[in-house]
Coordinates of all heavy atoms in Angstrom, one line a residue:
L1 N 57.3 -4.0 21.8 CA 58.6 -4.3 22.4 C 58.4 -5.5 23.4 O 59.3 -6.3 23.4 CB 59.0 -3.0 23.2 CG 60.4 -3.2 24.0 CD1 61.5 -3.5 23.0 CD2 60.6 -2.0 24.8
C2 N 57.4 -5.6 24.1 CA 57.2 -6.7 25.1 C 57.2 -8.0 24.3 O 57.8 -9.0 24.8 CB 55.8 -6.6 25.8 SG 55.8 -5.2 27.0
E3 N 56.6 -8.1 23.1 CA 56.6 -9.3 22.4 C 57.9 -9.8 22.0 O 58.2 -11.0 22.0 CB 55.7 -9.1 21.1 CG 54.3 -8.8 21.4 CD 53.5 -8.3 20.2 OE1 54.1 -7.9 19.2 OE2 52.3 -8.2 20.3
K4 N 58.8 -8.8 21.7 CA 60.2 -9.2 21.3 C 61.0 -9.6 22.5 O 62.0 -10.4 22.3 CB 60.9 -8.0 20.6 CG 60.3 -7.7 19.2 CD 61.0 -6.6 18.5 CE 60.3 -6.3 17.2 NZ 60.9 -5.2 16.5
L5 N 60.6 -9.2 23.7 CA 61.4 -9.5 24.9 C 61.0 -10.9 25.4 O 61.7 -11.4 26.3 CB 61.3 -8.4 25.9 CG 61.9 -7.1 25.5 CD1 61.6 -6.1 26.6 CD2 63.4 -7.3 25.4
G6 N 59.9 -11.4 25.0 CA 59.5 -12.8 25.4 C 58.3 -12.8 26.4 O 57.7 -11.8 26.7
P7 N 57.9 -14.1 26.8 CA 56.7 -14.3 27.5 C 56.7 -13.6 28.9 O 55.6 -13.2 29.3 CB 56.7 -15.8 27.7 CG 57.9 -16.4 27.1 CD 58.6 -15.3 26.4
T8 N 57.8 -13.5 29.6 CA 57.8 -12.8 30.9 C 57.4 -11.4 30.7 O 56.5 -10.9 31.5 CB 59.1 -12.9 31.6 OG1 59.5 -14.3 31.7 CG2 59.1 -12.3 32.9
F9 N 57.9 -10.7 29.7 CA 57.6 -9.3 29.5 C 56.1 -9.1 29.0 O 55.5 -8.2 29.2 CB 58.6 -8.6 28.6 CG 59.9 -8.4 29.3 CD1 60.9 -9.3 29.2 CD2 60.1 -7.2 30.0 CE1 62.1 -9.1 29.9 CE2 61.3 -7.0 30.7 CZ 62.3 -7.9 30.6
I10 N 55.7 -10.1 28.2 CA 54.3 -10.1 27.7 C 53.3 -10.1 28.9 O 52.4 -9.4 29.0 CB 54.0 -11.2 26.7 CG1 54.7 -10.9 25.4 CG2 52.5 -11.3 26.5 CD1 54.7 -12.1 24.4
K11 N 53.6 -11.1 29.9 CA 52.8 -11.2 31.1 C 52.8 -9.9 31.9 O 51.8 -9.4 32.4 CB 53.2 -12.4 31.9 CG 53.0 -13.7 31.3 CD 51.6 -13.9 30.9 CE 50.6 -14.4 31.9 NZ 49.3 -14.6 31.4
L12 N 54.0 -9.3 32.0 CA 54.2 -8.0 32.7 C 53.3 -7.0 32.0 O 52.6 -6.2 32.7 CB 55.6 -7.6 32.8 CG 55.9 -6.3 33.5 CD1 55.4 -6.4 35.0 CD2 57.4 -6.0 33.5
G13 N 53.4 -6.9 30.7 CA 52.6 -5.9 30.0 C 51.1 -6.1 30.1 O 50.4 -5.2 30.3
Q14 N 50.7 -7.4 30.1 CA 49.3 -7.7 30.4 C 48.8 -7.2 31.7 O 47.8 -6.6 31.9 CB 49.0 -9.2 30.2 CG 49.1 -9.7 28.8 CD 49.1 -11.2 28.7 OE1 49.4 -11.9 29.6 NE2 48.7 -11.7 27.5
A15 N 49.7 -7.5 32.7 CA 49.3 -7.0 34.1 C 49.3 -5.5 34.2 O 48.3 -5.0 34.8 CB 50.3 -7.6 35.1
L16 N 50.2 -4.8 33.6 CA 50.2 -3.4 33.6 C 49.1 -2.7 32.9 O 48.7 -1.6 33.2 CB 51.6 -2.9 33.1 CG 52.8 -2.9 34.1 CD1 54.0 -2.5 33.3 CD2 52.5 -2.1 35.3
S17 N 48.6 -3.5 31.9 CA 47.6 -2.9 31.0 C 46.3 -2.6 31.8 O 45.5 -1.7 31.3 CB 47.2 -3.8 29.8 OG 46.5 -4.9 30.3
I18 N 46.1 -3.1 32.9 CA 44.9 -2.8 33.7 C 45.2 -2.0 34.9 O 44.3 -1.7 35.7 CB 44.2 -4.2 34.1 CG1 45.1 -5.0 35.0 CG2 43.6 -4.9 32.9 CD1 44.4 -6.2 35.6
R19 N 46.4 -1.5 35.0 CA 46.8 -0.7 36.2 C 47.0 0.7 35.8 O 48.2 1.2 35.8 CB 48.1 -1.3 36.8 CG 47.9 -2.7 37.4 CD 46.9 -2.7 38.5 NE 47.1 -1.7 39.6 CZ 47.8 -1.9 40.7 NH1 48.3 -3.1 40.9 NH2 47.9 -1.0 41.6
T20 N 46.0 1.4 35.5 CA 46.1 2.8 35.1 C 46.4 3.7 36.3 O 46.7 4.9 36.1 CB 44.8 3.4 34.5 OG1 43.7 3.1 35.3 CG2 44.6 2.7 33.1
D21 N 46.4 3.1 37.5 CA 46.9 3.9 38.7 C 48.5 3.9 38.7 O 49.0 4.7 39.4 CB 46.4 3.3 40.0 CG 46.8 1.8 40.1 OD1 46.7 1.0 39.1 OD2 47.1 1.4 41.3
L22 N 49.1 3.0 37.9 CA 50.5 2.9 37.8 C 51.2 3.5 36.6 O 52.3 4.0 36.6 CB 51.0 1.5 38.0 CG 50.6 0.7 39.3 CD1 51.1 -0.7 39.2 CD2 51.3 1.4 40.4
I23 N 50.4 3.4 35.5 CA 50.9 3.9 34.2 C 49.9 4.8 33.5 O 48.7 4.6 33.8 CB 51.4 2.8 33.2 CG1 50.2 1.9 32.9 CG2 52.5 2.0 33.8 CD1 50.5 0.9 31.8
P24 N 50.3 5.7 32.7 CA 49.3 6.6 32.0 C 48.4 5.8 31.1 O 48.7 4.7 30.5 CB 50.2 7.5 31.1 CG 51.5 7.5 31.8 CD 51.7 6.1 32.4
E25 N 47.1 6.3 31.0 CA 46.1 5.6 30.2 C 46.5 5.3 28.8 O 46.3 4.1 28.3 CB 44.8 6.5 30.2 CG 43.7 5.9 29.4 CD 43.0 4.7 30.1 OE1 43.1 4.6 31.4 OE2 42.3 3.9 29.4
P26 N 47.2 6.2 28.0 CA 47.6 5.8 26.7 C 48.5 4.6 26.6 O 48.4 3.7 25.7 CB 48.3 7.0 26.2 CG 47.8 8.2 27.0 CD 47.5 7.6 28.3
Y27 N 49.4 4.4 27.6 CA 50.3 3.2 27.6 C 49.5 2.0 28.0 O 49.7 0.9 27.4 CB 51.4 3.4 28.7 CG 52.4 4.5 28.3 CD1 52.7 5.5 29.3 CD2 53.0 4.6 27.1 CE1 53.6 6.5 29.0 CE2 53.9 5.6 26.8 CZ 54.2 6.5 27.7 OH 55.1 7.5 27.4
A28 N 48.5 2.1 28.9 CA 47.7 1.0 29.3 C 46.9 0.5 28.1 O 46.7 -0.7 27.8 CB 46.8 1.4 30.4
L29 N 46.3 1.4 27.3 CA 45.5 1.1 26.1 C 46.4 0.3 25.1 O 45.9 -0.7 24.5 CB 44.9 2.3 25.5 CG 43.8 3.0 26.3 CD1 43.4 4.3 25.6 CD2 42.6 2.1 26.4
E30 N 47.6 0.7 24.9 CA 48.5 0.1 24.0 C 48.9 -1.3 24.5 O 48.9 -2.3 23.8 CB 49.8 0.9 23.8 CG 50.7 0.4 22.7 CD 50.1 0.5 21.3 OE1 49.2 1.4 21.1 OE2 50.5 -0.3 20.4
L31 N 49.1 -1.5 25.8 CA 49.5 -2.7 26.4 C 48.3 -3.7 26.4 O 48.5 -4.9 26.4 CB 50.0 -2.6 27.8 CG 51.4 -1.9 27.9 CD1 51.7 -1.6 29.4 CD2 52.5 -2.8 27.3
R32 N 47.1 -3.2 26.3 CA 45.9 -4.1 26.3 C 45.9 -5.0 25.1 O 45.2 -6.0 25.0 CB 44.6 -3.3 26.4 CG 44.4 -2.8 27.9 CD 43.1 -2.2 28.1 NE 43.1 -1.7 29.5 CZ 42.7 -0.5 29.8 NH1 42.2 0.3 28.9 NH2 42.8 0.0 31.0
Q33 N 46.6 -4.5 24.0 CA 46.7 -5.4 22.8 C 47.3 -6.7 23.1 O 47.1 -7.7 22.4 CB 47.4 -4.6 21.7 CG 46.7 -3.4 21.2 CD 47.5 -2.7 20.1 OE1 48.2 -3.3 19.4 NE2 47.3 -1.4 20.1
L34 N 48.1 -6.8 24.2 CA 48.7 -8.0 24.5 C 47.7 -9.0 25.2 O 48.1 -10.2 25.3 CB 49.9 -7.8 25.6 CG 51.0 -7.0 25.1 CD1 52.0 -6.6 26.2 CD2 51.8 -7.7 24.0
Q35 N 46.6 -8.5 25.5 CA 45.6 -9.4 26.1 C 45.0 -10.5 25.1 O 44.7 -11.6 25.5 CB 44.4 -8.6 26.7 CG 44.7 -7.7 27.8 CD 45.1 -8.4 29.1 OE1 44.9 -9.6 29.2 NE2 45.6 -7.6 30.0
D36 N 45.0 -10.1 23.8 CA 44.4 -11.0 22.9 C 45.0 -11.0 21.5 O 44.5 -11.5 20.6 CB 42.9 -10.8 22.8 CG 42.5 -9.4 22.3 OD1 43.4 -8.6 21.9 OD2 41.3 -9.1 22.2
A37 N 46.1 -10.3 21.4 CA 46.8 -10.2 20.0 C 48.2 -10.6 20.1 O 49.1 -9.9 19.5 CB 46.6 -8.8 19.5
V38 N 48.6 -11.7 20.7 CA 50.0 -12.1 20.8 C 50.3 -13.0 19.6 O 49.6 -14.0 19.4 CB 50.3 -12.9 22.1 CG1 51.7 -13.4 22.1 CG2 50.0 -12.0 23.3
P39 N 51.3 -12.6 18.8 CA 51.6 -13.4 17.6 C 52.3 -14.7 18.0 O 52.9 -14.8 19.0 CB 52.6 -12.5 16.8 CG 53.2 -11.6 17.8 CD 52.1 -11.4 18.9
P40 N 52.1 -15.8 17.2 CA 52.7 -17.0 17.5 C 54.2 -17.0 17.3 O 54.7 -16.2 16.5 CB 52.0 -18.0 16.5 CG 51.6 -17.1 15.4 CD 51.3 -15.8 16.0
F41 N 54.9 -17.8 18.0 CA 56.3 -18.0 17.8 C 56.6 -19.0 16.7 O 55.6 -19.7 16.3 CB 57.1 -18.2 19.1 CG 56.7 -19.4 19.9 CD1 57.2 -20.6 19.7 CD2 55.7 -19.2 20.9 CE1 56.8 -21.7 20.4 CE2 55.4 -20.3 21.7 CZ 55.9 -21.6 21.4
D42 N 57.8 -19.2 16.3 CA 58.2 -20.1 15.2 C 57.7 -21.5 15.5 O 58.0 -22.1 16.5 CB 59.7 -20.0 15.0 CG 60.2 -20.8 13.9 OD1 59.5 -21.0 12.9 OD2 61.3 -21.3 14.0
S43 N 57.1 -22.2 14.5 CA 56.6 -23.6 14.7 C 57.8 -24.5 14.8 O 57.7 -25.6 15.4 CB 55.7 -24.0 13.5 OG 54.5 -23.3 13.6
I44 N 58.9 -24.2 14.2 CA 60.1 -25.1 14.3 C 60.5 -25.1 15.8 O 60.9 -26.2 16.3 CB 61.2 -24.6 13.4 CG1 60.8 -24.8 11.9 CG2 62.5 -25.3 13.7 CD1 61.8 -24.1 10.9
T45 N 60.5 -24.0 16.4 CA 60.9 -23.9 17.8 C 59.9 -24.7 18.7 O 60.2 -25.5 19.6 CB 61.0 -22.5 18.3 OG1 61.9 -21.8 17.5 CG2 61.3 -22.4 19.8
A46 N 58.6 -24.5 18.4 CA 57.5 -25.2 19.1 C 57.7 -26.7 19.0 O 57.6 -27.5 20.0 CB 56.2 -24.8 18.6
R47 N 58.0 -27.2 17.8 CA 58.2 -28.7 17.6 C 59.4 -29.2 18.3 O 59.4 -30.3 18.9 CB 58.2 -29.0 16.1 CG 56.9 -28.8 15.4 CD 57.0 -29.0 13.9 NE 55.7 -28.8 13.3 CZ 54.8 -29.8 13.1 NH1 55.0 -31.0 13.5 NH2 53.6 -29.5 12.6
S48 N 60.4 -28.4 18.4 CA 61.6 -28.8 19.1 C 61.3 -28.9 20.6 O 61.7 -29.8 21.3 CB 62.7 -27.7 18.9 OG 63.8 -28.0 19.7
V49 N 60.5 -27.9 21.2 CA 60.1 -28.0 22.6 C 59.2 -29.2 22.8 O 59.4 -29.9 23.8 CB 59.3 -26.7 23.0 CG1 58.7 -26.8 24.3 CG2 60.3 -25.5 22.9
L50 N 58.3 -29.5 21.9 CA 57.5 -30.7 22.0 C 58.3 -32.0 22.1 O 58.1 -32.8 22.9 CB 56.5 -30.8 20.8 CG 55.1 -30.1 21.0 CD1 54.4 -30.1 19.7 CD2 54.3 -30.7 22.1
R51 N 59.2 -32.1 21.2 CA 60.1 -33.3 21.2 C 60.8 -33.4 22.5 O 60.9 -34.5 23.1 CB 61.1 -33.2 20.0 CG 60.5 -33.6 18.7 CD 61.6 -33.8 17.6 NE 62.4 -32.6 17.4 CZ 62.0 -31.6 16.5 NH1 60.9 -31.7 15.8 NH2 62.7 -30.6 16.3
Q52 N 61.4 -32.3 23.0 CA 62.1 -32.4 24.2 C 61.2 -32.7 25.4 O 61.5 -33.6 26.2 CB 62.8 -31.0 24.5 CG 63.6 -31.0 25.7 CD 64.3 -29.6 25.9 OE1 64.2 -28.7 25.0 NE2 64.9 -29.4 27.0
E53 N 60.1 -32.1 25.5 CA 59.2 -32.3 26.6 C 58.5 -33.7 26.6 O 58.3 -34.3 27.6 CB 58.0 -31.3 26.6 CG 58.5 -29.9 26.9 CD 59.0 -29.8 28.4 OE1 58.4 -30.3 29.3 OE2 60.1 -29.1 28.6
L54 N 58.3 -34.3 25.4 CA 57.7 -35.6 25.3 C 58.8 -36.7 25.3 O 58.5 -37.9 25.4 CB 56.9 -35.7 24.0 CG 55.7 -34.8 23.9 CD1 55.0 -34.9 22.6 CD2 54.7 -35.2 25.0
G55 N 60.1 -36.3 25.2 CA 61.2 -37.3 25.3 C 61.3 -38.1 24.1 O 61.6 -39.3 24.2
V56 N 61.0 -37.6 22.9 CA 61.1 -38.4 21.7 C 62.0 -37.6 20.7 O 62.1 -36.4 20.7 CB 59.7 -38.6 21.0 CG1 58.8 -39.4 21.9 CG2 59.0 -37.3 20.7
S57 N 62.5 -38.4 19.7 CA 63.3 -37.8 18.7 C 62.5 -37.4 17.5 O 62.9 -36.6 16.7 CB 64.5 -38.7 18.3 OG 64.0 -39.9 17.8
N58 N 61.3 -38.0 17.3 CA 60.5 -37.8 16.2 C 59.0 -37.7 16.7 O 58.5 -38.6 17.3 CB 60.6 -38.9 15.2 CG 59.9 -38.6 13.9 OD1 58.9 -38.0 13.9 ND2 60.4 -39.2 12.8
L59 N 58.4 -36.6 16.3 CA 57.0 -36.4 16.8 C 56.0 -37.4 16.2 O 54.9 -37.6 16.8 CB 56.5 -35.0 16.5 CG 57.2 -33.9 17.3 CD1 56.7 -32.5 16.9 CD2 56.9 -34.1 18.8
N60 N 56.4 -38.1 15.2 CA 55.6 -39.2 14.6 C 55.4 -40.4 15.6 O 54.5 -41.2 15.4 CB 56.1 -39.7 13.3 CG 56.0 -38.7 12.2 OD1 55.1 -37.8 12.3 ND2 56.8 -38.7 11.2
Q61 N 56.3 -40.4 16.6 CA 56.2 -41.5 17.6 C 55.0 -41.2 18.5 O 54.4 -42.1 19.1 CB 57.4 -41.5 18.5 CG 58.7 -41.9 17.7 CD 59.9 -41.7 18.6 OE1 60.6 -40.8 18.4 NE2 60.2 -42.7 19.5
V62 N 54.5 -40.0 18.6 CA 53.4 -39.6 19.4 C 52.2 -39.2 18.6 O 51.0 -39.6 19.0 CB 53.8 -38.4 20.4 CG1 52.6 -38.0 21.2 CG2 55.0 -38.8 21.2
F63 N 52.4 -38.5 17.5 CA 51.3 -37.9 16.7 C 51.3 -38.5 15.3 O 52.3 -38.6 14.7 CB 51.4 -36.4 16.6 CG 51.4 -35.7 17.9 CD1 52.5 -35.2 18.4 CD2 50.2 -35.5 18.6 CE1 52.5 -34.6 19.6 CE2 50.2 -34.8 19.8 CZ 51.3 -34.4 20.3
S64 N 50.1 -39.0 14.9 CA 50.0 -39.4 13.5 C 49.8 -38.2 12.5 O 50.1 -38.3 11.4 CB 48.8 -40.4 13.3 OG 47.6 -39.9 13.7
S65 N 49.3 -37.1 13.1 CA 49.3 -35.9 12.4 C 49.4 -34.7 13.4 O 49.0 -34.9 14.5 CB 48.0 -35.7 11.6 OG 46.9 -35.6 12.4
L66 N 49.9 -33.6 12.9 CA 50.1 -32.4 13.7 C 50.1 -31.2 12.8 O 50.8 -31.2 11.8 CB 51.4 -32.5 14.5 CG 51.7 -31.4 15.6 CD1 50.6 -31.5 16.7 CD2 53.1 -31.6 16.2
S67 N 49.2 -30.3 13.1 CA 49.1 -29.1 12.2 C 50.4 -28.4 12.1 O 51.2 -28.3 13.0 CB 48.0 -28.2 12.7 OG 48.3 -27.6 14.0
D68 N 50.6 -27.8 10.9 CA 51.9 -27.1 10.6 C 51.9 -25.7 11.4 O 53.0 -25.3 11.8 CB 52.1 -26.8 9.1 CG 52.4 -28.1 8.4 OD1 53.0 -29.0 9.0 OD2 52.0 -28.2 7.2
Q69 N 50.7 -25.1 11.5 CA 50.7 -23.8 12.1 C 49.8 -23.9 13.3 O 48.8 -24.7 13.4 CB 50.1 -22.8 11.1 CG 50.9 -22.5 9.8 CD 52.3 -22.0 10.2 OE1 52.4 -21.1 11.0 NE2 53.3 -22.5 9.5
P70 N 50.1 -23.0 14.3 CA 49.2 -23.1 15.5 C 47.8 -22.6 15.2 O 47.6 -21.7 14.3 CB 49.9 -22.1 16.5 CG 50.8 -21.2 15.6 CD 51.1 -22.0 14.4
V71 N 46.8 -23.1 15.9 CA 45.4 -22.6 15.8 C 45.2 -21.5 16.7 O 44.2 -20.7 16.6 CB 44.4 -23.7 15.9 CG1 44.5 -24.7 14.8 CG2 44.5 -24.4 17.3
A72 N 46.0 -21.3 17.8 CA 45.9 -20.2 18.7 C 47.2 -20.0 19.4 O 48.1 -20.9 19.4 CB 44.9 -20.6 19.8
S73 N 47.4 -18.8 19.8 CA 48.7 -18.5 20.6 C 48.4 -17.5 21.7 O 47.4 -16.8 21.7 CB 49.7 -17.8 19.6 OG 49.3 -16.6 19.1
A74 N 49.2 -17.7 22.7 CA 49.1 -16.8 23.9 C 50.5 -16.4 24.4 O 51.5 -16.8 23.7 CB 48.3 -17.6 25.0
S75 N 50.5 -15.8 25.5 CA 51.8 -15.3 25.9 C 52.8 -16.4 26.3 O 54.0 -16.2 26.2 CB 51.7 -14.3 27.1 OG 51.0 -14.9 28.2
I76 N 52.3 -17.5 26.8 CA 53.2 -18.5 27.3 C 53.1 -19.8 26.5 O 53.6 -20.9 26.9 CB 53.1 -18.8 28.8 CG1 51.7 -19.2 29.1 CG2 53.5 -17.6 29.6 CD1 51.5 -19.7 30.6
G77 N 52.4 -19.9 25.4 CA 52.2 -21.1 24.7 C 51.4 -20.9 23.5 O 50.9 -19.8 23.2
Q78 N 51.3 -22.0 22.7 CA 50.4 -22.0 21.5 C 49.8 -23.3 21.3 O 50.3 -24.3 21.9 CB 51.1 -21.4 20.3 CG 52.4 -22.0 19.9 CD 53.1 -21.1 19.0 OE1 53.1 -19.9 19.0 NE2 53.8 -21.7 18.0
V79 N 48.7 -23.4 20.6 CA 47.9 -24.6 20.4 C 48.0 -25.1 19.0 O 47.9 -24.4 18.0 CB 46.5 -24.4 20.8 CG1 45.6 -25.6 20.6 CG2 46.4 -23.8 22.2
Y80 N 48.2 -26.4 18.8 CA 48.3 -27.1 17.5 C 47.2 -28.2 17.5 O 46.9 -28.7 18.6 CB 49.6 -27.8 17.3 CG 50.7 -26.8 17.1 CD1 51.4 -26.1 18.1 CD2 51.1 -26.4 15.8 CE1 52.4 -25.2 17.9 CE2 52.1 -25.5 15.5 CZ 52.7 -24.9 16.6 OH 53.7 -24.0 16.4
R81 N 46.7 -28.5 16.4 CA 45.8 -29.7 16.3 C 46.6 -30.9 15.9 O 47.6 -30.8 15.2 CB 44.8 -29.4 15.1 CG 43.8 -28.3 15.4 CD 42.7 -28.4 14.3 NE 41.9 -27.2 14.4 CZ 40.9 -27.0 15.3 NH1 40.6 -27.9 16.2 NH2 40.2 -25.9 15.3
G82 N 46.3 -32.0 16.6 CA 47.0 -33.2 16.3 C 46.1 -34.4 16.5 O 45.0 -34.4 17.0
T83 N 46.6 -35.6 16.1 CA 46.0 -36.9 16.3 C 47.0 -37.8 16.9 O 48.1 -37.9 16.4 CB 45.5 -37.5 14.9 OG1 44.6 -36.5 14.3 CG2 44.8 -38.8 15.2
L84 N 46.6 -38.4 18.0 CA 47.5 -39.3 18.7 C 47.7 -40.6 17.9 O 46.8 -41.2 17.4 CB 47.0 -39.7 20.1 CG 46.9 -38.6 21.1 CD1 46.3 -39.1 22.4 CD2 48.3 -38.0 21.4
A85 N 49.0 -41.0 17.7 CA 49.3 -42.2 17.0 C 48.8 -43.4 17.7 O 48.4 -44.4 17.0 CB 50.8 -42.3 16.8
S86 N 48.8 -43.4 19.0 CA 48.4 -44.7 19.7 C 46.9 -45.0 19.7 O 46.5 -46.1 19.7 CB 48.9 -44.6 21.2 OG 48.3 -43.4 21.8
T87 N 46.1 -43.9 19.7 CA 44.7 -44.1 19.8 C 43.8 -43.5 18.7 O 42.7 -43.9 18.6 CB 44.1 -43.5 21.1 OG1 44.3 -42.1 21.1 CG2 44.9 -44.1 22.4
G88 N 44.4 -42.7 17.9 CA 43.7 -42.0 16.9 C 42.8 -40.8 17.4 O 42.1 -40.2 16.6
Q89 N 43.0 -40.5 18.7 CA 42.2 -39.4 19.3 C 42.7 -38.1 18.8 O 43.9 -37.8 18.8 CB 42.3 -39.5 20.8 CG 41.5 -38.4 21.5 CD 41.7 -38.5 23.0 OE1 42.3 -39.4 23.5 NE2 41.0 -37.6 23.7
D90 N 41.8 -37.2 18.4 CA 42.1 -35.8 18.1 C 42.4 -35.1 19.3 O 41.6 -35.1 20.3 CB 41.0 -35.2 17.3 CG 40.9 -35.7 15.9 OD1 41.9 -36.2 15.3 OD2 39.7 -35.7 15.4
V91 N 43.5 -34.3 19.3 CA 43.9 -33.5 20.5 C 44.3 -32.1 20.0 O 44.5 -31.9 18.9 CB 45.1 -34.2 21.3 CG1 44.6 -35.4 21.9 CG2 46.3 -34.4 20.4

C-alpha cells in the first residue's frame, strides 16, 4: 500500500519499520521490505522529470546515451546509466 501512495508514504513506512515500540512486530517486519525492495516507477515519467529539471526539450541535448531502464531505485528516486553528450563522460 505504501508503494502505491508514493514516496512520502514509503519514507514513513521505512521509518515505522524500525519502531516496534509504536507498531506490532508483524507490521514492522512487513514494512522492512521497503528498506531495500522499492520497485522503480515508470521510465517515461522519469525522463519527463529529467527534461523538466535539466530545462531541455530533448534529453539528447545532455546525454549521448541513457539507459532505458533504471539500474537502481529507491523511495525518492532512481538511477540510470548515461553518457554526457558534451564530454563523453559516463554518469
Side-chain angles (χ1 to χ4, degrees):
L1 180 61
C2 289
E3 294 164 350
K4 292 181 180 178
L5 293 174
T8 302
F9 286 92
I10 291 172
K11 292 308 276 182
L12 179 61
Q14 288 172 335
L16 282 174
S17 74
I18 59 171
R19 295 298 309 266
T20 53
D21 58 320
L22 298 176
I23 62 171
E25 181 73 23
Y27 294 128
L29 289 173
E30 190 67 27
L31 289 171
R32 284 191 189 129
Q33 293 179 30
L34 295 172
Q35 297 289 350
D36 60 5
V38 178
F41 56 88
D42 182 31
S43 288
I44 293 171
T45 302
R47 288 174 183 273
S48 176
V49 170
L50 271 173
R51 282 191 297 275
Q52 182 179 353
E53 291 295 318
L54 295 172
V56 297
S57 59
N58 188 329
L59 290 175
N60 290 336
Q61 294 172 260
V62 178
F63 301 102
S64 58
S65 68
L66 190 62
S67 62
D68 290 330
Q69 298 298 317
V71 294
S73 63
S75 59
I76 58 172
Q78 49 197 38
V79 179
Y80 291 82
R81 292 192 191 279
T83 304
L84 294 176
S86 61
T87 64
Q89 180 181 2
D90 289 332
V91 293

